[in-house]
Amino acid sequence: PDRTAARIRNTFLNFFRDRGHLLVPSAPVRPRGDPSLLFVNAGMNQFKPILLGTVDPRSPMASYRRVANSQKCVRAGGKHNDLDDVGRDVYHHTFFEMMGSWSFGDYFKEEACQMAWSLLTEHYGLPVDRLYVSYFGGDAAFGLPPDDETRQIWLEIGVQANRILPFGLKENFWEMGDSGPCGPCTEIHYDHVGGRDGAALVNNDTPDLVEIWNLVFMQYNRELDGSLRPLPQCSVDTGMGLERLVRILQNKTSNYDTDLFTPLLDHIHQVSCVDIYGGRKGSSDQEKVDMAYRVVADHIRTLSVCIADGIHPGMSGAELVLRRILRRALRFCVEVLQAPQGSLAGLVPTVTHILGDVYPELHSEKDRIMDVINENEAQFLSSLQQGSRLIHRTLNRMENKHGLFPASVAWSLHRDLGFPLDLVDLVLEERGVRVDREELDRLISENHKVVSESQSGPQSQLSLDILSLSELQRLGVPHTNDSLKYQYSLD
Ligand code: ATP
Ligand code: MG
Ligand code: MG
Ligand code: MG
């Protein structure tokens, strides 16, 4: 069978459309009217008003009963933050596609489980002896009964009893916030190895046995006093990670080996001066290079999608997170992959080639995405050069070579050059020097209010009692990739 990602995505959407679901577009990843979110991180975000009962009766959403889509999701900040896993494992991305299906007051647990099982085993052809399901096992302390109903449904569908596993609140009870709709969930996990009893590996953070689909059953409302009241209308909210499913169907050991990523890895190889991805398995240098490939491939997708949807690298909130992602990608490009300036933006056409037919804004915004990345790259590189000159100049001037590095200089680096404070620490550490943390904290809190109000970036109008930008520019030390490598360790 044709097992391209495009086909796999369409199979999901067609399956639910054929069962009465309205197909709706992905919401932009920039959340609308929800200050509690940095990025859209799940398919249900755009439907939150329906679940809360606050939907405008004139909105088309008011009539939604059965809906499905493929939602662009970013998990790089806030409650869901997978940034630290990205590159290290092979199944968490900062940007991923969540294929979702919903019932708003229409069908409930039984039909939801039946459809999910039928799609996975009959349409995608997954072997049942590779699948496990989890359900909510109850929590006496919180007065929550086990979801035996769901267990029974799985048994009737034909899942073996030893593959139906109870878990607690953390894994299998979903809550939107401190109050509001909530309920138990049931999740489907896939064993990539097989021929073993994998029950103990479910929810155990291993690449060999991975969660693929979450089905949430909204049946309670968490009241303000903390009590649970049954909802008059029960809803279903499901989400399955496309990259993980594609990995299974393309029989790969990593999401990055699927057609959602391989064109990107090939492109990165063309611009880098180091080994191919996965070249010399087992060597520690190769592992570092492989991680760089994964980080850059992941981050360029996130950058493209975010910039297309109007989130630009900046100085606060989601924009600050995006700036960190951009700079992290750039450092891997320069320091590990030894790719020339402009390489990161050069990957954007490959991203649009892979994803642009599904998310057309990637096509229409392509040039703007590349411009934003290139401008930020130029800015970052010059900040790094200026910053490292200033640090070394200051170190040379210090009388006590092992004393405290002046907080005013660290603060100036950060404020005027956007030089990350953690990088200052790293550079100093290599010279056996520490920054005057107490004074730095004082400067940070003193300026915090002004900075957050002005939102005008690192060049905001603050009085300089320390070295000015023009003085920074006069400090001339030639810079090479090697000096960068020496000064900024990556993680
Ligand atoms: P995990 O436990 O693997 O971190 P999760 O429980 O946080 O996943 P959910 O919030 O239940 O994930 O989201 C539904 C589905 O979205 C998951 O079952 C998974 O297939 C997919 N998914 C979640 N986070 C990521 C990610 N960072 N990258 C790729 N896919 C993801
Ligand atoms: Mg997670
Ligand atoms: Mg999970
Ligand atoms: Mg989950």
Side-chain angles (χ1 to χ4, degrees):
D2 174 0
R3 297 207 143 165
T4 60
R7 186 69 183 267
I8 292 166
R9 194 191 291 104
N10 279 334
T11 298
F12 181 95
L13 296 173
N14 292 338
F15 177 91
F16 282 100
R17 192 197 50 209
D18 292 347
R19 284 154 187 79
H21 292 65
L22 178 71
L23 300 188
V24 300
S26 170
V29 291
R30 181 193 185 89
R32 284 198 191 131
D34 190 346
S36 72
L37 275 183
L38 283 176
F39 301 97
V40 164
N41 60 23
M44 60 74 54
N45 290 173
Q46 68 169 318
F47 305 121
K48 205 167 146 180
I50 305 182
L51 299 171
L52 290 171
T54 59
V55 68
D56 182 340
R58 289 162 304 178
S59 140
M61 261 192 209
S63 63
Y64 285 0
R65 287 294 169 270
R66 297 179 175 216
V67 179
N69 83 353
S70 170
Q71 173 67 49
K72 299 178 283 184
C73 293
V74 174
R75 293 194 172 181
K79 189 175 172 217
H80 289 282
N81 185 354
D82 292 338
L83 189 54
D84 288 342
D85 288 329
V86 169
R88 288 177 219 284
D89 78 18
V90 295
Y91 58 101
H92 281 99
H93 309 294
T94 54
F95 163 77
F96 67 98
E97 295 175 74
M98 190 187 286
M99 299 187 294
S101 60
W102 290 269
S103 154
F104 299 113
D106 198 277
Y107 61 83
F108 202 41
K109 295 180 182 179
E110 188 169 7
E111 214 173 325
C113 292
Q114 280 167 351
M115 283 194 278
W117 198 255
S118 160
L119 176 59
L120 290 180
T121 61
E122 291 159 24
H123 294 254
Y124 289 128
L126 299 190
V128 294
D129 64 0
R130 295 293 184 93
L131 295 170
Y132 293 85
V133 297
S134 66
Y135 71 99
F136 181 54
D139 190 301
F142 286 85
L144 290 167
D147 184 12
D148 290 327
E149 193 185 347
T150 296
R151 180 171 184 276
Q152 198 54 40
I153 290 168
W154 286 124
L155 283 171
E156 275 157 29
I157 286 172
V159 183
Q160 282 175 20
N162 60 354
R163 293 179 170 269
I164 309 173
L165 310 165
F167 283 89
L169 277 175
K170 184 171 142 277
E171 293 86 5
N172 283 85
F173 195 86
W174 187 88
E175 304 214 35
M176 188 183 294
D178 294 338
S179 62
C182 58
C185 66
T186 183
E187 294 190 319
I188 303 174
H189 301 252
Y190 185 82
D191 184 357
H192 285 271
V193 175
R196 60 178 177 179
D197 178 2
L201 298 173
V202 170
N203 276 327
N204 227 336
D205 205 16
T206 155
D208 289 343
L209 206 159
V210 174
E211 172 190 331
I212 54 172
W213 201 347
N214 187 358
L215 291 71
V216 182
F217 303 127
M218 238 76 70
Q219 65 183 101
Y220 302 108
N221 193 60
R222 172 81 69 188
E223 304 287 302
L224 289 171
D225 65 5
S227 63
L228 289 176
R229 189 172 48 87
L231 280 174
Q233 156 175 310
C234 292
S235 294
V236 177
D237 157 34
T238 88
M240 171 156 61
L242 174 67
E243 298 77 4
R244 294 185 187 182
L245 179 65
V246 173
R247 168 190 166 191
I248 295 170
L249 294 175
Q250 295 181 357
N251 202 15
K252 303 295 185 193
T253 52
S254 152
N255 291 5
Y256 293 92
D257 293 333
T258 68
D259 66 340
L260 288 167
F261 286 94
T262 46
L264 268 173
L265 298 179
D266 290 345
H267 192 163
I268 295 170
H269 175 59
Q270 282 165 26
V271 296
S272 77
C273 303
V274 294
D275 291 351
I276 56 165
Y277 180 69
R280 285 175 289 117
K281 286 249 182 295
S283 91
S284 71
D285 274 1
Q286 182 71 52
E287 270 157 35
K288 200 168 145 200
V289 167
D290 288 353
M291 172 157 170
Y293 270 92
R294 289 192 290 265
V295 167
V296 172
D298 174 272
H299 287 12
I300 192 61
R301 284 168 27 116
T302 307
L303 286 161
S304 302
V305 164
C306 287
I307 295 170
D309 282 350
I311 304 176
H312 288 180
M315 293 307 282
S316 67
E319 306 209 316
L320 181 59
V321 173
L322 200 64
R323 189 167 100 137
R324 292 200 176 120
I325 289 173
L326 178 91
R327 293 180 166 205
R328 188 162 184 248
L330 285 170
R331 285 168 68 203
F332 275 100
C333 275
V334 171
E335 294 164 48
V336 180
L337 299 172
Q338 294 166 36
Q341 193 170 347
S343 299
L344 190 62
L347 298 173
V348 172
T350 304
V351 175
T352 61
H353 175 73
I354 300 170
L355 294 173
D357 291 347
V358 194
Y359 308 109
E361 61 282 3
L362 289 172
H363 278 310
S364 55
E365 301 297 317
K366 187 178 86 191
D367 294 342
R368 196 173 57 78
I369 298 168
M370 294 176 72
D371 288 347
V372 169
I373 293 175
N374 276 329
E375 279 161 27
N376 275 275
E377 174 171 31
Q379 231 177 50
F380 186 44
L381 291 179
S382 93
S383 298
L384 286 183
Q385 289 175 31
Q386 292 179 358
S388 48
R389 279 181 219 138
L390 176 61
I391 290 177
H392 289 287
R393 168 117 168 194
T394 308
L395 284 170
N396 291 340
R397 279 180 182 167
M398 278 168 58
E399 277 164 23
N400 175 0
K401 296 290 176 212
H402 296 285
L404 288 179
F405 188 86
S408 57
V409 179
W411 177 240
S412 165
L413 282 162
H414 177 61
R415 184 190 53 192
D416 301 322
L417 296 174
F419 198 99
L421 284 173
D422 59 324
L423 287 193
V424 179
D425 288 336
L426 278 172
V427 176
L428 293 180
E429 204 179 293
E430 287 165 4
R431 298 279 293 254
V433 175
R434 276 187 313 116
V435 74
D436 184 345
R437 194 72 231 183
E438 213 173 291
E439 174 64 5
L440 183 59
D441 288 344
R442 199 188 60 76
L443 287 171
I444 291 171
S445 61
E446 191 175 278
N447 286 286
H448 182 73
K449 199 165 160 275
V450 191
V451 171
S452 61
E453 273 167 13
S454 75
Q455 297 261 318
S456 59
Q459 322 272 338
S460 52
Q461 309 296 312
L462 301 163
S463 73
L464 291 178
D465 58 344
I466 42 180
L467 294 169
S468 67
L469 262 181
S470 59
E471 185 168 356
L472 298 178
Q473 274 148 10
R474 277 192 290 106
L475 307 167
V477 178
H479 138 268
T480 64
N481 281 354
D482 275 341
S483 72
L484 278 180
K485 186 183 282 176
Y486 163 70
Q487 284 164 39
Y488 312 113
S489 89
L490 282 171
D491 280 288

